[in-house]
Structure formats: structure tokens, C-alpha cells
Amino acid sequence: MKISIKAFIGSVLLLSGIALISSCDKIEEPFTKKTGSLDTAACPVPEFPAVTAVQKRVLLEDYTGHTCVNCPKAAKLAHDLKEVHGDKLVLLAVHAGYFANPTPGGDFTYDFRTEAGTAWDVFFGVGMVGNPNGMVNRRGHPNNHIITPTAWGANVTDALSTQPLLDLQMINDYDAAERKLCTHIKTRFITTLDRNLRLVVVLAENGIVKPQKNNDPGSGDTPVIEEYVHNHVLRSAITSTWGSSIAVAGTPNPESLVKSFKYILKEEYVPENCSVIAFVYDDDTKEVLQAIEVDVI
């Protein structure tokens, strides 16, 4: 049987394309700028340990800014809640809105704003209400989702009292030489969910020392805490702002699925102080169903 050169080359290219697609189906954007392409060999998917008990975890988003004089007191309140609930509570400080804007000259030229944080702030309207405010699992959207700090505790307790519908596991692998992070998130469906679900993965950092305006003597110097320690700071979205689809309404859920992401840490980030936060939310109600946080190192 004779095969033309063109047909042979076409077959090879087709098979190569199929192989490439099938070998890279677990690596999600953003891809490394160094390679500019998918590279599963650089982020091999690990074996996840068996889970014996599923823990419900709640996401508390603290919308804040460095010129917000009431925000240090709110951050302290969030810290106290973390002391009580431990790993069951995931904190994320989102610097967005008016009070997060850099001020030319002086102490407040630094910028903790992010594309994702700004988009969330605009969509949920937190900045329009003012800081400090936050959301607990983004529950109550679109009318009752913005919560004042004094109500965070009760809302966290209430959210933790609900049964988990799915489980999240995370394994991080960090290459210090390349500053390359491979993060792997496994979602396991505990019950059948006929919903549109999305997975968001972000990078957060603790221990960033920068000035912060303050009017609460119990939180530090007034009117400015010159060496304020910013914790749980949203640094960047590793997925897109609104995440990656993991379930579609009307389609059967898999028992579990793993998504892997590759990310290069900026030089200004301290890997030892960074963590990866992942959460799954209902794309129609915006409610977060499960969250998890694991240190980069």
C-alpha cells in the first residue's frame, strides 16, 4: 500500500496534536512565561492520600486598604477568629477600593491591589459600602452578602455548622531555583451536585511590613502604624479571576477530579510566607461551598 508524503505528514501532525492534548488536560492557565507552553513533565500529578474524615472549611474575605483607619481593628478581629477556628477558617485580605489606592509621596505609595481583588470588589460592591467589610463564603448574594466585622464571628460559626458537600485536598511543590510553584487540587464530590461549580486558586502572603493608617490604640500606634504587619494578603490569582469550571449543571459529577496549576513567584514574594488558597463556589449563587489553604513551603 502506498502512502503519499503529504498524507503521512498530516497523520503524524494529527497524532502529535492528539497526544499533546491528552497529555496536558490537567494543567491549567496561567502557563509559565519561560516555556510559553504546557509542560506536564514540569508538574507531575502526585498521589493524594486517602481521606477518612471531611472537614468543612469557611472562607472569610476581609476587604481592606492601607489608608483605612478602621481596618487594623477588623484584621485583629479576623485573627482572633482564626485562633478559635484554626484550619476550619481560611482568611483572605483583599486590598481593593478607595482605601487601597496608592498615595503619591509619603508612606502609602505601595500597592497591594490585584486584578482579581478589584474585580471582586466591583462585582460584590464591597468598596461602595466602605471598609472594613467582608464576606463569609459569599453567602447572601446579591442582597445580604456584605458583612460588618462585628458580625463575622456569628456568620463564620453558622457557615461551619452546615454539612460539606464536597472535599478539597491540595499538594504544593515548590522549586526554589526557578521560583516555580506547582499546586495540585483534588475535588471529591460527597454528594451529587446538579450545579455550575468553579474552582478559584490564589496566592496569599503573610508578614509584609508596611505602614498602615489606624485610629484604634488597641491595634497599634495612631494615626499610623509605621511597621504594620499585613497578613493573608491576596497577591495574585493563579487561575483566572472567576476560576476554572469543575462541574456543569445537567452533567453527572465525577467521583473526583484533579486540577494542576503552574505559577512563577515574583521576586518580591517571600515563598516561606506564602500560601495557596483554593475555593469552590456555585457560579449561579456565588456561594463558596468549600475552601482550603496550604503553605507554599
Side-chain angles (χ1 to χ4, degrees):
M1 180 176 65
K2 295 183 178 179
I3 302 177
S4 70
I5 295 297
K6 289 184 178 179
F8 175 75
I9 293 174
S11 299
V12 170
L13 291 174
L14 177 61
L15 290 173
S16 298
I18 293 173
L20 177 62
I21 293 171
S22 63
S23 67
C24 299
D25 59 352
K26 291 184 179 180
I27 302 294
E28 297 285 333
E29 294 184 357
F31 314 131
T32 52
K33 293 181 179 179
K34 177 180 289 187
T35 62
S37 62
L38 301 178
D39 183 5
T40 52
C43 280
V45 180
E47 290 292 329
F48 283 81
V51 176
T52 56
V54 178
Q55 176 66 63
K56 178 63 180 285
R57 291 178 293 272
V58 168
L59 176 68
L60 168 57
E61 294 169 85
D62 173 12
Y63 281 72
T64 185
H66 53 198
T67 63
C68 168
V69 297
N70 295 309
C71 287
K73 185 175 182 179
K76 185 177 183 300
L77 193 155
H79 172 78
D80 292 343
L81 289 173
K82 180 71 172 177
E83 290 289 302
V84 172
H85 297 291
D87 291 342
K88 293 185 290 184
L89 179 61
V90 176
L91 299 181
L92 184 60
V94 181
H95 290 249
Y98 174 79
F99 293 108
N101 292 335
T103 303
D107 291 333
F108 303 103
T109 58
Y110 67 92
D111 193 354
F112 286 161
R113 294 174 302 172
T114 61
E115 180 180 343
T118 297
W120 297 339
D121 184 63
V122 170
F123 179 85
F124 291 109
V126 183
M128 294 295 294
V129 175
N131 297 119
N133 274 299
M135 296 185 288
V136 175
N137 271 1
R138 300 181 175 179
R139 299 197 306 172
H141 182 266
N143 299 315
N144 302 302
H145 55 288
I146 301 174
I147 304 170
T148 61
T150 55
W152 288 350
N155 278 266
V156 167
T157 299
D158 184 60
L160 283 172
S161 70
T162 63
Q163 291 297 313
L165 301 177
L166 50 85
D167 183 44
L168 289 177
Q169 291 175 271
M170 184 190 301
I171 296 176
N172 291 329
D173 180 21
Y174 181 67
D175 183 330
E178 297 186 11
R179 298 185 65 83
K180 180 184 70 179
L181 168 68
C182 293
T183 182
H184 312 274
I185 296 97
K186 180 177 182 179
T187 305
R188 185 167 64 89
F189 294 86
I190 299 171
T191 186
T192 300
L193 297 174
D194 188 22
R195 304 189 189 187
N196 296 306
L197 302 180
R198 301 187 71 85
L199 170 71
V200 173
V201 185
V202 302
L203 185 76
E205 186 174 4
N206 289 319
I208 308 172
V209 179
K210 295 285 186 181
Q212 168 72 47
K213 287 190 176 181
N214 174 52
N215 70 355
D216 175 38
S219 299
D221 295 337
T222 59
V224 176
I225 305 172
E226 293 292 346
E227 295 187 348
Y228 183 76
V229 181
H230 295 267
N231 291 318
H232 316 290
V233 177
L234 172 63
R235 280 305 210 174
S236 176
I238 294 176
T239 58
S240 62
T241 295
W242 297 102
S244 175
S245 176
I246 60 169
V248 177
T251 303
N253 304 138
E255 179 181 347
S256 65
L257 59 89
V258 176
K259 284 187 173 288
S260 298
F261 306 87
K262 186 164 56 178
Y263 182 80
I264 303 298
L265 269 67
K266 293 182 179 179
E267 289 296 329
E268 65 193 88
Y269 302 166
V270 180
E272 293 80 4
N273 294 345
C274 290
S275 64
V276 178
I277 293 173
F279 58 91
V280 171
Y281 72 96
D282 185 315
D283 196 24
D284 298 305
T285 67
K286 306 308 177 189
E287 180 177 355
V288 173
L289 305 183
Q290 184 64 289
I292 189 171
E293 180 176 20
V294 176
D295 291 340
V296 166
I297 298 179

